[in-house]
Amino acid sequence: MTSVRIMRTRDWADPVPPARRELLTATPEIADEGKPPVLFVPGFGHGAWAYAEHWLEHAAARGFAAHAVSPRGHGASAPAPKATLRAYAHDVVQEAARLPRQAVLVGHGAGALVVAHALARYPAKAGVLAAPVFGGWGTLGLALRRNLFGTLPAAFGGRLRLGRRQLFGRELPDAQARGYAKRVGHASAKAQWELLRARPPEHPVGDPPVLVVGTPDDRVVPRTALDKVARRYGGAPLLFPGMGHDLMLDARWQEPIDAILDWLEKDGN
Amino acid sequence: MSTPTGNERFDPSTTLWRDGRPVYDRRDTVCVVGAGASGLAAVKNLREHGFGVDCYERETSVGGAWNWRHDRSPVYASTHLISSKPFTQFPDFPMPDTWPDYPHHSQLLSYLERYAAHFDLLPHVWFGTEVVKIEPADDTSWDVTTRSSGGYGSERTHRYLAVVIANGHNWQPKVPTFEGLDEFRGQTMHASSYKDPKELRGRRVLVVGGGNTGCDIAVEAATAATQTWHSTRRGYWYLPKYLLGRPTDQVNDRMQAARLPLGMRQWLAARTLRLTVGDQSRFGLPKPDHKVFETHPIANSQLIYHLGHGTITPVPDVRRFHRSSVELTDGRHVEADVVVFATGYLPRFEFLAPEILGADEHGRPTLYLHAFPREHPTLAVAGLLQPDSGLFPLVHWQTVLIARWLRLRDRDLQRAAAFWSRASADVGKRWNRARVKDSTRHWFEVNHVDYLRELQRALDELSPATATTARSAR
C-alpha cells in the first residue's frame, strides 16, 4: 500500500459542484468539551431522517454534539440524479469541515463506503462503519437472491428497492417496518454502478482509529464481507446478533449506538 | 490563551547551560516559527504524527500575511486569491461550497482561524513571542532563544528536537535603487504599505512592477487616479481568471493531468490566449520575451480591459528619477505624484546564521525541495515556495513530509540515512521543467505538479512501512 496519494488532478481540474444539503442536529444540554462532534452518514436511499429517529437524540443525551447529513439526492438535500460516490464523499467532508472541532464520521450501509472515501480527504477524529456495504459483484449476487424483483432493475441502471425484511429484524413491528421501508428512496444510478465496481477507498489521512459494527443476521451484508472490511482497518467487527441491516431503525437500536459511543469515549479519543 | 499545562512544561530541573545562560530542555518537542498558514499546517501535521509542538508567533493572532491587522501583512483592501479554491485550500480541510471561486483575503483569514480552532492548534501557539536566535546545539538538537515581541522582557532559551521555520517570505520589501530617487519630490511607497485606492484618488500614479500585485494596484489606480502608468520590465503573459468558462488554473490542470509535454502545453496555452485575449501588443504592451510558464503566472482579467479603455498607459522600465518626473528607458518622462513600487519581497531569516541554510552571496538558500538544508537534518523551512498555483496544498504535504522524516529518523536510522543521502544529491534542484527567469522573484518558483510528484516520491520513501506490514499481517 502506498502511503498516501497526493496527486489529485481530478479534485483540482474538475471539482465537485456545490449542492444544497440537509443537516439535522441534536445538541447536548450540557456541552462536553472532551467529546468530539459526531457526523452520521446514511446509506443509499436513506436520508438524515434515519438517524433522527433514535440515534441523534441518544448521542446528544450522552453528551455528544450529533449531526446527520443527507448526501445530495437523499432526504431533503437538493436532487442529484447524476451524483457519484465522489460527490457524496464531498458532501460529507464539507459538513465535517464546517463543524467547530475535529469530527467523528459514522457511516451506515453504502454510507460507510462514502465515509471510507471521506476519511481519505479529511483527518477525522475517528471513523465508524456500521453494516458497511463496500460493494462488488458479491453484493449484487446476494441482493438478487434475497430480493430478485427489487434488485433486478438496479442492475440495469434503474432504482434499487430494498424490502423491509432485508432491512429490519423480526422484532420490529410490521407497521413500523412498512413505514420506514416506504421512506427509503434510492441513490443515483451512477453511484449504484460505482458500488458494484467497488473501487477500494484510498488510505485514511491522519491515521484515525476505525471501528466496524454489524450483525451476523444482516440480509444485505454477508458476514464474510463484514470481516473483510474490518480486516482492512486492522480489527474484527463488533456484532449484534438478531438485528436487521438498518441498525439505527431496528427495534434494538440502542445497543449498537451505545457500543459506538462507549468506544468513542474509550478509544476514539 | 497559551498557558503551561502539566508539570513537564518548562520543567526547571532539566536545565542545561549555554554561554552562561540557562537552556530549558523541551526534549522531543518540535519548535515551529510563525503561526501563518505554513506554521499552522506544520503544527497540525506534527501533532498528527505524535510530536509535541511549541509554535512562536510574534503577533497576537494567527494568519500571518493573511491577517490584515498584522503590520507585516502585505494585503490591501481588495486582495483576492489568484488561484481558485481547489488549489488554494488545504487538501484535508476544504473551503465551504458557498464561497466563490476566488475568495477575498478576509475569507482566507477566517479560513485559517477555523483551521486552527478545528484542529485545536491554539494551545500550542505562544503569541506575542518572537524568535531572536536559532543555534545548533551539541548534537542535532537546536537552541531557540525567544523574547516578547517589541523587544522588552528577558530572553529565554529552549532546546528542541527539531525546528520548522515558517516565517513567510512576503514581508521584507525589496525596493530597487534608482538614480535620483532622493531628489524626487513626489511620494513613493512600496506595495506592502499600499492598502486602499483612496490613497490614489485624484492623483497621477506610476505603478512599477508587472507581478500580480503590480497589476492589481494598476487596475485599482485606473478607477481612482486621474492618470495611471504601469511600468514593466518585459512583456508578460496575462492570464484571465476565467478561460473557456472555467477558472483558468483548473483548465491548465486538465492539460497537466493528460501529461502533455511541456512544449505542447506551452503551445496550447499560447494559442488559447491568442484566441481569447488576443495580441497583447495591440494594447501597447511589449511582446513577451519568453514562453508561457517561464515566469510566475499573472492572473488578472481586468488589466487588459483597462488598457483597452485607455485608463492604464503601459510604459517600459524606469531609468532614473528627476525632481518632478520619472525618466523611462525609452527617454519619455512621466510626471507622477505617486510612485508605487510593486517590486516584490525578499526572504529573510534574521535569527539564523546564513550558512546554515547554505545561502549564497545573494542570500539565496540552497535546500532540498526548498525545505531541507543539506547539513542539518533536523531543521526545515516550510512554505518557502512560489508555486504556479496556491501554496497551501504544497505546504500541507511539505509539512507532512517533514513530520514523517522526523518520525523515521527516530525509528529507523538506517532507512533515514538512505533517504538523506538520496535527498542530498537533489539539493538545489528547481522542480520546474520550464526554464524560469533567473531573478529573486523566481528563486522559489516551482511547478505545482512537478513539485508534488517529487513530494509524493519522497513521502513513499518515508512511508511507515513497518506500520503497514504490521497491519496487513493481522
Side-chain angles (χ1 to χ4, degrees):
Chain A
M1 192 185 292
T2 54
S3 53
V4 62
R5 196 166 65 83
I6 72 178
M7 301 304 298
R8 298 173 178 175
T9 358
R10 197 146 171 242
D11 291 359
W12 302 327
D14 189 17
V16 175
R20 185 174 42 79
R21 285 180 296 265
E22 172 192 32
L23 186 78
L24 300 180
T25 296
T27 320
E29 274 175 35
I30 308 148
D32 186 340
E33 282 298 309
K35 290 178 178 169
V38 182
L39 179 63
F40 292 99
V41 180
F44 281 9
H46 295 60
W49 60 265
Y51 291 108
E53 286 292 310
H54 311 292
W55 279 21
L56 276 189
E57 288 302 330
H58 189 74
R62 286 193 51 176
F64 289 86
H67 312 266
V69 60
S70 297
R72 58 190 65 197
H74 289 77
S77 291
K82 292 202 172 131
T84 54
L85 272 178
R86 186 169 80 107
Y88 296 154
H90 168 91
D91 288 342
V92 173
V93 174
Q94 277 282 322
E95 290 304 330
R98 270 183 53 191
L99 298 175
R101 283 177 303 132
Q102 229 174 331
V104 175
L105 303 184
V106 182
H108 172 263
L113 180 62
V114 173
V115 162
H117 282 297
L119 289 175
R121 288 291 177 274
Y122 168 77
K125 195 92 184 159
V128 179
L129 311 176
V133 178
F134 269 40
W137 296 100
T139 311
L140 177 68
L142 184 73
L144 283 170
R145 271 208 309 283
R146 300 268 189 221
N147 179 0
L148 180 64
F149 295 105
T151 312
L152 210 50
F156 298 96
R159 59 178 293 184
L160 174 74
R161 278 210 305 274
L162 293 166
R164 64 182 194 281
R165 283 296 150 235
Q166 270 176 300
L167 296 178
F168 309 106
R170 286 171 198 290
E171 290 165 47
L172 192 71
D174 225 27
Q176 220 172 347
R178 234 184 272 272
Y180 289 147
K182 210 174 274 170
R183 292 185 75 175
V184 173
H186 64 106
S188 80
K190 213 166 174 182
Q192 287 178 11
W193 268 113
E194 282 180 308
L195 191 64
L196 288 185
R197 267 183 32 224
R199 177 173 63 93
E202 289 169 36
H203 197 70
V205 290
D207 239 355
V210 176
L211 173 73
V212 177
V213 300
T215 155
D217 303 308
D218 197 320
R219 287 162 167 262
V220 179
V221 187
R223 177 67 203 272
T224 48
L226 208 55
D227 288 338
K228 206 172 139 196
V229 172
R231 234 185 355 260
R232 198 189 154 83
Y233 293 95
L238 201 57
L239 295 174
F240 298 89
M243 295 185 73
H245 177 67
D246 276 4
L247 299 168
M248 67 288 196
L249 292 172
D250 213 343
R252 279 156 47 202
W253 57 266
Q254 195 177 336
E255 291 170 30
I257 184 65
D258 270 333
I260 290 170
L261 298 176
D262 287 346
W263 177 78
L264 285 180
E265 281 168 359
K266 207 166 104 269
D267 296 330
N269 272 315
Chain B
M1 209 158 268
S2 32
T3 44
T5 51
N7 295 331
E8 51 123 57
R9 196 134 194 165
F10 300 141
D11 183 0
S13 64
T14 55
T15 299
L16 312 155
W17 294 87
R18 181 175 188 131
D19 306 335
R21 289 189 303 118
V23 174
Y24 303 92
D25 194 354
R26 299 286 288 127
R27 291 199 190 90
D28 293 337
T29 307
V30 179
C31 171
V32 174
V33 183
S38 304
L40 291 175
V43 176
K44 175 196 160 271
N45 288 319
L46 285 163
R47 295 275 312 143
E48 215 167 87
H49 285 78
F51 287 101
V53 180
D54 285 349
C55 173
Y56 295 111
E57 167 57 53
R58 62 188 290 279
E59 299 280 355
T60 51
S61 45
V62 299
W66 291 104
N67 195 328
W68 54 272
R69 297 178 193 89
H70 295 170
D71 57 359
R72 282 179 177 181
S73 167
V75 300
Y76 33 90
S78 70
T79 309
H80 280 76
L81 268 295
I82 54 170
S83 53
S84 69
K85 265 195 298 180
F87 298 91
T88 303
Q89 65 205 4
F90 288 117
D92 59 352
F93 192 69
M95 289 183 175
D97 270 352
T98 47
W99 285 12
D101 286 331
Y102 295 100
H104 184 246
H105 73 80
S106 60
Q107 286 175 309
L108 207 75
L109 174 59
S110 86
Y111 173 74
L112 292 175
E113 285 167 348
R114 284 199 313 116
Y115 181 81
H118 192 91
F119 294 109
D120 202 20
L121 308 178
L122 295 181
H124 309 285
V125 186
W126 295 79
F127 289 106
T129 310
E130 64 186 356
V131 172
V132 186
K133 228 181 315 180
I134 301 177
E135 302 156 295
D138 313 332
D139 43 11
T140 55
S141 55
W142 295 86
D143 288 341
V144 178
T145 306
T146 56
R147 67 164 177 230
S148 301
S149 303
Y152 46 83
S154 58
E155 296 184 355
R156 299 186 64 152
T157 306
H158 299 104
R159 182 157 298 175
Y160 289 99
L161 172 80
V163 175
V164 178
I165 300 170
N167 64 334
H169 58 274
N170 286 332
W171 53 269
Q172 174 71 39
K174 176 184 150 197
V175 188
T177 49
F178 288 106
E179 205 186 323
L181 192 56
D182 300 335
E183 55 178 288
F184 180 62
R185 293 219 316 206
Q187 186 195 348
T188 60
M189 63 163 108
H190 188 267
S192 58
S193 50
Y194 169 81
K195 294 292 161 205
D196 199 277
K198 276 204 296 275
E199 304 161 41
L200 308 177
R201 190 147 297 150
R203 308 174 77 179
R204 288 169 298 173
V205 181
L206 171 67
V207 181
V208 181
N212 282 293
T213 306
C215 293
D216 273 1
I217 297 177
V219 165
E220 295 212 332
T223 52
T226 47
Q227 186 158 13
T228 305
W229 296 278
H230 186 206
S231 158
T232 56
R233 202 183 309 166
R234 58 171 71 91
Y236 291 95
W237 296 91
Y238 297 101
L239 305 171
K241 280 190 159 176
Y242 287 90
L243 206 60
L244 310 172
R246 318 229 349 120
T248 306
D249 44 10
Q250 296 179 17
V251 176
N252 183 36
D253 258 47
R254 264 191 203 173
M255 296 204 293
Q256 303 228 20
R259 294 211 180 214
L260 293 184
L262 175 69
M264 193 182 283
R265 280 196 294 117
Q266 285 175 325
W267 179 83
L268 261 174
R271 188 83 205 132
T272 317
L273 286 175
R274 178 90 192 183
L275 285 172
T276 49
V277 181
D279 180 5
Q280 290 185 10
S281 57
R282 273 191 63 241
F283 301 98
L285 292 167
K287 232 176 147 58
D289 60 354
H290 54 278
K291 291 184 182 164
V292 198
F293 309 130
E294 286 183 352
T295 55
H296 190 76
I298 294 152
N300 195 312
S301 302
Q302 287 165 289
L303 188 79
I304 298 280
Y305 172 91
H306 282 290
L307 290 169
H309 286 64
T311 36
I312 296 177
T313 313
V315 294
D317 211 1
V318 172
R319 179 181 291 159
R320 61 160 296 163
F321 281 76
H322 295 282
R323 219 173 118 79
S324 57
S325 70
V326 184
E327 188 185 329
L328 306 168
T329 46
D330 62 356
R332 253 190 294 173
H333 286 253
V334 295
E335 289 178 11
D337 307 325
V338 187
V339 179
V340 183
F341 291 110
T343 42
Y345 300 85
L346 284 171
R348 202 168 143 205
F349 307 97
E350 73 273 32
F351 40 70
L352 205 62
E355 65 271 12
I356 289 178
L357 295 182
D360 62 12
E361 67 270 28
H362 305 293
R364 171 191 189 148
T366 330
L367 306 167
Y368 168 57
L369 280 168
H370 296 297
F372 297 96
R374 192 194 305 259
E375 307 294 337
H376 299 279
T378 52
L379 181 74
V381 186
L384 188 61
L385 297 169
Q386 284 290 350
D388 58 347
S389 73
L391 173 69
F392 295 6
L394 275 61
V395 83
H396 170 82
W397 296 116
Q398 201 186 40
T399 50
V400 168
L401 180 72
I402 293 169
R404 287 238 177 122
W405 160 244
L406 293 175
R407 259 289 153 257
L408 186 73
R409 273 197 91 242
D410 176 43
R411 291 207 176 132
D412 192 342
L413 270 176
Q414 207 178 348
R415 275 180 64 205
F419 172 78
W420 196 251
S421 71
R422 204 275 295 159
S424 313
D426 285 343
V427 166
K429 249 179 138 173
R430 303 197 68 163
W431 317 115
N432 203 325
R433 268 171 293 167
R435 277 176 313 173
V436 291
K437 291 279 164 192
D438 200 18
S439 66
T440 56
R441 177 74 184 83
H442 296 102
W443 273 0
F444 314 111
E445 184 75 23
V446 294
N447 171 288
H448 68 286
V449 174
D450 292 345
Y451 187 80
L452 283 173
R453 281 201 184 119
E454 177 61 21
L455 270 185
Q456 175 86 69
R457 174 175 159 212
L459 276 171
D460 288 347
E461 277 176 71
L462 296 183
S463 73
T466 43
T468 324
T469 43
R471 179 166 286 154
S472 53
R474 244 184 283 174

